[in-house]
Amino acid sequence: MIDMQEPIPYLDLNAQHRSLRRELIRAIDAVFASSAFAGGTFVERFEKAFADYCGCRHAIGVGSGTDALWLALQAVGVGPGDEVITVPNSFFATAEAITVCGARPVFVDVDEATLTLDPKKLEAAITPRTKAVVPVHLFGQIADMNPINRIADRHGLSVIEDAAQGHGASYHGRRAGGLGRAGCFSFYPGKNLGAAGEAGAVTTNDDDLAARVRMLRDHGQARKHDHQLVGWNGRMDGVQAAVLEVKLRHLDTWTQRRRERAYAYQELISRVPGLRAPTEAHSARHVYHIYGVRCDGRDDLLRHLSKHNVGCAIHYPRPIHLQPAYHDLGYGEGCFPVSEQAANQLLSLPLYPELGMEKLQRVATLIADWHDGQAMARQRETSPNRLATDAALGG
Ligand SMILES: *Cc1c(COP(=O)(O)O)cnc(C)c1O
């Protein structure tokens, strides 16, 4: 018997690190032994391994996923006066990187089923100022890249994948990071491949672009003291690279376990009316960074699960176009109905490779109980008995 009150955290990084502790400490020790702390051999080794993993010619290790987006946009020439198209239902950094380049984010709504950039809405948002498109592989599912690339090619736009949630996800058999002109990854600790701190990477098959990103992340230096460009300090740490190299070897196993758990949820949750499990598109192999279900009464369900010690999260409670920081862009409520509805309905359930199946079942049972409770409350409200009582009381 499991203890029914035992908390189920939303995320449990300790569970992952317990089994890797020795390996990780040995890897970190090697960095200290060589003092290759900023950039250097450990970063180079991880870059090679990650490029191979993504099926790309180049991976460039940087300071964070936000750095990766900013550096990739800079490297394709995005600057003041340009527009860059992206989606409003992402982490804020996707749009923020565009703004920090001096360009203007232009949003298009997402597909109702997959919640990724809707290619049917893309062309209408393109203007003579548009320079690039940033589709987001939301929750671990790759956006519909073929039509997006076709439209972008027709208009001479660069496509930069926001693959911060898509490590190892594939689309028609090709992995995230190699599906546009550049791919941007985050290794924030909670991501499917997470560092022991902040880190990110830019991937590309374009040799010139790779060279520009390499320079930009290191103060625009081609060689020491030869500053060809104005860049920034966006280098990856040696310790992070060493940790990531160890973890990368386990990523496919972890992804498989995430997928098994997603299917288990799907099986249990599809029996609950009114609850919508994530859609896995035919062409895209989902890596379930986030398992987001949709339902009406989401806030009530969140309260119910919290009351029973189940950790949940909301990705994302307010779409980017409605954030105060972007008030000046002039968007308002109703501009992107699919994203706005998703923001009101989505609830992220605990899902990680180490999540015990009995715990997952407990989450699903709690959700079914919540639904039954709601249905019963509705029935009570409309039953003839209740109406008669209300009438007798003069209600
Ligand atoms: C995490 C994330 C980022 C930012 O990555 P950081 O490493 O935290 O800077 C950008 N876009 C998306 C979609 C993300 O999930």
Side-chain angles (χ1 to χ4, degrees):
M1 237 345 243
I2 59 158
D3 177 4
M4 295 309 274
Q5 291 315 113
E6 191 190 339
I8 303 176
Y10 174 67
L11 188 68
D12 185 2
L13 290 178
N14 272 326
Q16 182 185 81
H17 294 147
R18 256 193 305 275
S19 66
L20 294 180
R21 196 161 179 274
R22 259 172 228 278
E23 249 184 300
L24 290 172
I25 286 174
R26 208 180 308 129
I28 292 168
D29 222 29
V31 180
F32 273 81
S34 74
S35 294
F37 291 118
T41 51
F42 293 90
V43 173
E44 284 162 24
R45 242 168 51 193
F46 172 68
E47 288 177 339
K48 169 112 192 36
F50 194 64
D52 288 348
Y53 182 83
C54 297
C56 286
R57 289 171 58 82
H58 307 277
I60 301 110
V62 299
S64 67
T66 308
D67 270 357
L69 286 162
W70 179 75
L71 289 161
L73 289 164
Q74 290 270 315
V76 302
V78 169
D82 294 333
E83 292 176 358
V84 176
I85 296 172
T86 190
V87 293
N89 67 331
S90 181
F91 180 58
F92 190 71
T94 312
E96 196 178 27
I98 296 167
T99 304
V100 171
C101 287
R104 179 188 175 87
V106 172
F107 298 110
V108 300
D109 213 351
V110 292
D111 174 73
E112 222 277 317
T114 62
L115 300 178
T116 59
L117 194 148
D118 188 345
K120 293 191 297 297
K121 295 169 187 153
L122 177 54
E123 201 138 30
I126 296 172
T127 74
R129 291 169 182 266
T130 310
K131 193 74 168 251
V133 185
V134 184
V136 178
H137 302 331
L138 194 78
F139 297 171
Q141 170 147 264
I142 293 184
D144 198 2
M145 293 299 287
N146 284 347
I148 293 170
N149 279 326
R150 264 198 305 276
I151 295 164
D153 282 350
R154 201 150 65 223
H155 293 269
L157 312 176
S158 294
V159 176
I160 312 276
E161 305 171 68
D162 183 337
Q165 303 183 359
H167 318 77
S170 60
Y171 177 82
H172 293 289
R174 288 167 58 207
R175 278 191 167 153
L179 297 163
R181 220 178 143 200
C184 302
F185 289 87
S186 164
F187 305 118
Y188 182 79
K191 299 286 159 87
N192 285 18
L193 178 62
E198 307 277 355
V202 177
T203 53
T204 183
N205 287 310
D206 179 331
D207 297 348
D208 292 336
L209 188 66
R212 285 176 70 79
V213 174
R214 278 185 202 288
M215 280 197 272
L216 287 167
R217 74 158 172 192
D218 191 20
H219 305 290
Q221 293 182 107
R223 280 169 305 277
K224 202 168 175 62
H225 303 306
D226 174 16
H227 301 268
Q228 296 282 334
L229 302 164
V230 172
W232 199 249
N233 176 0
R235 294 183 300 253
M236 181 186 267
D237 283 1
V239 167
Q240 302 311 337
V243 165
L244 289 165
E245 199 191 359
V246 169
K247 288 197 179 187
L248 182 60
R249 296 199 282 268
H250 300 273
L251 182 57
D252 282 338
T253 308
W254 291 338
T255 299
Q256 191 51 39
R257 293 173 67 99
R258 282 180 183 274
R259 287 173 58 78
E260 283 161 16
R261 277 149 189 75
Y263 291 137
Y265 266 136
Q266 155 98 27
E267 173 80 21
L268 295 164
I269 280 167
S270 58
R271 299 180 202 150
V272 182
L275 216 88
R276 195 163 162 195
T279 307
E280 182 162 350
H282 191 62
S283 47
R285 186 171 180 274
H286 204 311
V287 294
Y288 294 100
H289 169 57
I290 286 169
Y291 193 84
V293 296
R294 281 182 270 179
C295 67
D296 290 328
R298 183 268 317 274
D299 293 339
D300 197 63
L301 175 56
L302 174 61
R303 272 192 296 276
H304 177 77
L305 291 173
S306 310
K307 206 170 68 197
H308 289 87
N309 282 323
V310 174
C312 292
I314 298 177
H315 300 95
Y316 297 90
R318 196 194 300 190
I320 301 174
H321 69 285
L322 299 178
Q323 291 290 349
Y326 280 133
H327 180 80
D328 290 353
L329 291 179
Y331 295 107
E333 213 142 330
C335 283
F336 306 106
V338 181
S339 295
E340 289 168 29
Q341 193 186 38
N344 291 325
Q345 292 189 328
L346 273 168
L347 183 66
S348 310
L349 304 180
L351 186 143
Y352 33 94
E354 303 80 8
L355 177 66
M357 284 293 185
E358 73 293 342
K359 289 193 170 154
L360 184 153
Q361 265 162 9
R362 198 180 124 209
V363 176
T365 304
L366 283 166
I367 294 171
D369 291 349
W370 170 77
H371 170 266
D372 292 349
Q374 290 238 314
M376 242 143 61
R378 267 196 304 277
Q379 208 175 18
R380 254 199 316 276
E381 260 165 36
T382 56
S383 74
N385 252 351
R386 161 78 186 269
L387 291 177
T389 321
D390 285 352
L393 293 167

